[in-house]
Amino acid sequence: MVFELLIKGLIIGFAVAVPVGPIGVLTIKRTLNEGRRSGFITGMGAAFADTLYGVVAECSLTAVSSFLIHEQFWMKLIGGIVMLLIGVKTLLSKPVLRHIKMDNKGLIYNFISTFFLTLTNPATIFAFLAIFAGFRLGSSNINHQGSVVLIVGVLIGASLWWLTLSYIVNKFKSKISHGNLYWINRIAGIVIILFGIFSLYLCINLHH
């Protein structure tokens, strides 16, 4: 039973992390410019945020989930603005052929930026609520130990995706020319900006 919950959590965490959004684009960009470790840490920020939402969904913390849903206008607004800022920074950044050596401060920033950016997307909690309900994985159906194992599985699953993505992107970096890297930075910046604009558009709809 415990092993089954771990596998289910792993699959769920991997599945939630896989869809390519602004975090995926940012992870690819940072891996190309700063190296595999930077890209992986960037993704791990999202993985921990996803896991936190998984905890809320699995434990059926009604008050917390209700607050997140009620305040999604402000969360999407903040997330949209942050994405616009990151997108503009990415768009204007200069490509590098060698990895930038990242210190602890830079890695912490990479982690925190994607952690909070992921938290500003409360739609993630709907995904977990739907998946957990479909698999009957709520806290009312499994014991405390099972809940812990499930959440650990979610974190491992999400981490595996970001490890895989950063590894693959880093593997192909040597085949990317300076000119191609220039356009990758520009395209990544534009994509992140578009995600930010879309988030602000959702804010307008919520407001009305």
Side-chain angles (χ1 to χ4, degrees):
M1 178 65 177
V2 172
F3 181 72
E4 181 183 347
L5 286 172
L6 180 65
I7 296 301
K8 284 183 178 180
L10 193 151
I11 294 172
I12 292 170
F14 193 89
V16 170
V18 164
V20 178
I23 306 301
V25 174
L26 194 57
T27 298
I28 292 172
K29 186 264 180 183
R30 284 178 177 171
T31 301
L32 290 173
N33 286 276
E34 300 165 6
R36 185 176 63 184
R37 184 172 65 156
S38 177
F40 176 63
I41 294 297
T42 295
M44 286 304 295
F48 272 86
D50 285 340
T51 302
L52 182 59
Y53 273 142
V55 171
V56 173
E58 198 281 328
C59 295
S60 300
L61 301 176
T62 307
V64 177
S65 58
S66 296
F67 171 79
L68 293 172
I69 294 169
H70 184 265
E71 299 297 334
Q72 61 179 311
F73 169 81
W74 294 107
M75 296 180 73
K76 287 185 180 295
L77 179 63
I78 295 171
I81 293 173
V82 171
M83 275 189 276
L84 286 176
L85 293 174
I86 292 176
V88 170
K89 182 180 178 180
T90 300
L91 185 65
L92 299 178
S93 63
K94 295 180 180 179
V96 292
L97 288 177
R98 294 181 180 179
H99 293 163
I100 299 173
K101 187 176 181 180
M102 296 295 292
D103 56 18
N104 289 333
K105 183 179 179 181
L107 293 174
I108 291 172
Y109 166 77
N110 285 357
F111 179 90
I112 292 177
S113 62
T114 49
F115 177 80
F116 283 105
L117 189 57
T118 304
L119 283 184
T120 60
N121 180 24
T124 306
I125 199 170
F126 289 108
F128 277 111
L129 286 170
I131 294 172
F132 286 161
F135 284 95
R136 298 179 62 83
L137 294 173
S139 57
S140 60
N141 298 316
I142 55 179
N143 57 30
H144 177 70
Q145 181 186 12
S147 298
V148 173
V149 170
L150 179 67
I151 295 304
V152 169
V154 169
L155 178 59
I156 294 174
S159 302
L160 283 175
W161 164 247
W162 297 117
L163 180 64
T164 301
L165 180 63
S166 58
Y167 175 81
I168 292 174
V169 172
N170 188 71
K171 195 74 173 177
F172 286 95
K173 175 179 168 59
S174 60
K175 299 180 180 180
I176 299 175
S177 67
H178 184 273
N180 289 335
L181 198 57
Y182 173 89
W183 284 109
I184 288 173
N185 278 2
R186 298 301 174 270
I187 293 171
I190 292 171
V191 170
I192 295 172
I193 289 172
L194 290 176
F195 274 115
I197 292 173
F198 181 68
S199 182
L200 295 178
Y201 170 76
L202 293 178
C203 286
I204 296 173
N205 284 350
L206 286 172
H207 182 70
H208 290 293

